[in-house]
Amino acid sequence: MASSSPHARTALDTVDRPSWTPIVALSAAMAMLVASEFLPASVLPALAADIGVSEGVAGLAVAATAIAGAITAPSIAVLLPRTDRRTMLVGLLAAGSVANLVVAAAPNFAVLLAGRLLLGVAIAGAWSFAFGAGVHAMGGRERAVSSGVAFGVSLATVVGVPVAAIVGDQIGWRAAFGGAAALTAVTAAGVARALPPVPAHPGAGIGMLREALRHRRLLAGAGCIVLVAFGNFAAYPYIRIATERIDPGATTWLLVAWGVGGVAGTVLAGVVAVRLRLLAALAPTLLGVSLLVAATASTVPVLTAAIVLWGLAFNMVPVATQLWVTRVESERVESAMSLQVTAFQVAITAGSAAGGALLDAYGVRWPFVVGAVAAVAAGLGFALLRIPAR
């Protein structure tokens, strides 16, 4: 038989190698939403002083997004079971932009919390649908999609968090939120253009969620996700306060170091994901170690090492847990993802609230110590849970 023509081979290559534009768009979208979620940690002292609340209370600006997210993640697919997922993602990003504008203009803490609640709806909904939409667009490349979405989280921390800190210091914390609003609107337009239509799963709705909730191993994994996310967010809203305790001048660069570690963690997670059980146990354990070292550090080099390890470990967690829940519950991926997001949001609420209480009562070290214990417990839990082979 004659060999195929160059034109035929080119067409075949195009089919075999789909455009990566959808993953780039989703990664940018998640970067902006996560950067928005973590913005209060970048500007916490100035925000608290301007609004007139303690730094511990101001940390609840992170918890507020999580409260809304915990409610939204399991319910949004139930309320809108047939809506195209691209349309939903674009609408949620638009809501995130509006939420940042509300915070930027907030005259008091109550209005600020309202904006953060709206942001929580946007983040939880986007997390619930981004993975499935990406897999649909990329022909089932789960590891690539998970790593791409997680890379957006790392990008938010390596660029968004320190840039927000600089903008907050030089111009004002309100300008940081205003800039986030504009950039989130841009990513909404990018997703609308780059992502193909993504029809809802035929079984989406309350029935799919009910079946997922009967899966005991999935629920046990969700409990471990709660522990590891609680551990991180008991400490993360107060990272700036912890760094300023040792060297106020190094704060911005230590935030960059956290993000650099995060980029490395995302890449490493994509590699180690072939041994998913190991990855799921390793990431929380390393997180616990990093938090304990950060809590006891007394010099900048030790604190820097702890923060880099912290960023690396925590940014392995989204990749690990996304792949873990979708491996354990492969028939109901959307519901499994919503359960993962709910677990994260519940833990963010509890963690940031507990961390704020510990900070105000005992000082900045205790949120880190408590977070370390919870993270190590999560690692042990994942080590004990078996997952199906592919």
Side-chain angles (χ1 to χ4, degrees), residues 18-26 138 190 194:
S19 169
W20 288 82
T21 305
I23 286 186
V24 173
L26 287 171
M138 295 300 297

Side-chain angles (χ1 to χ4, degrees), residues 185-291:
V186 170
T187 63
V191 168
R193 183 175 179 83
L195 208 65
V198 183
H201 190 283
I206 187 65
M208 178 185 284
L209 180 61
R210 187 183 299 116
E211 289 299 317
L213 289 173
R214 290 173 180 166
H215 198 305
R216 292 183 179 180
R217 189 179 303 169
L218 179 64
L219 292 180
C224 293
I225 294 170
V226 169
L227 283 172
V228 66
F230 176 94
N232 184 76
F233 288 98
Y236 189 80
Y238 315 106
I239 186 172
R240 181 160 185 166
I241 297 170
T243 59
E244 289 179 347
R245 173 178 61 88
I246 294 177
D247 185 353
T251 296
T252 298
W253 300 114
L254 286 171
L255 291 174
V256 172
W258 195 96
V260 170
V263 172
T266 300
V267 174
L268 181 60
V271 174
V272 182
V274 293
R275 300 186 64 184
L276 186 53
R277 189 176 179 184
L278 171 64
L279 175 63
L282 180 65
T285 303
L286 289 178
L287 174 62
V289 171
S290 69
L291 292 177

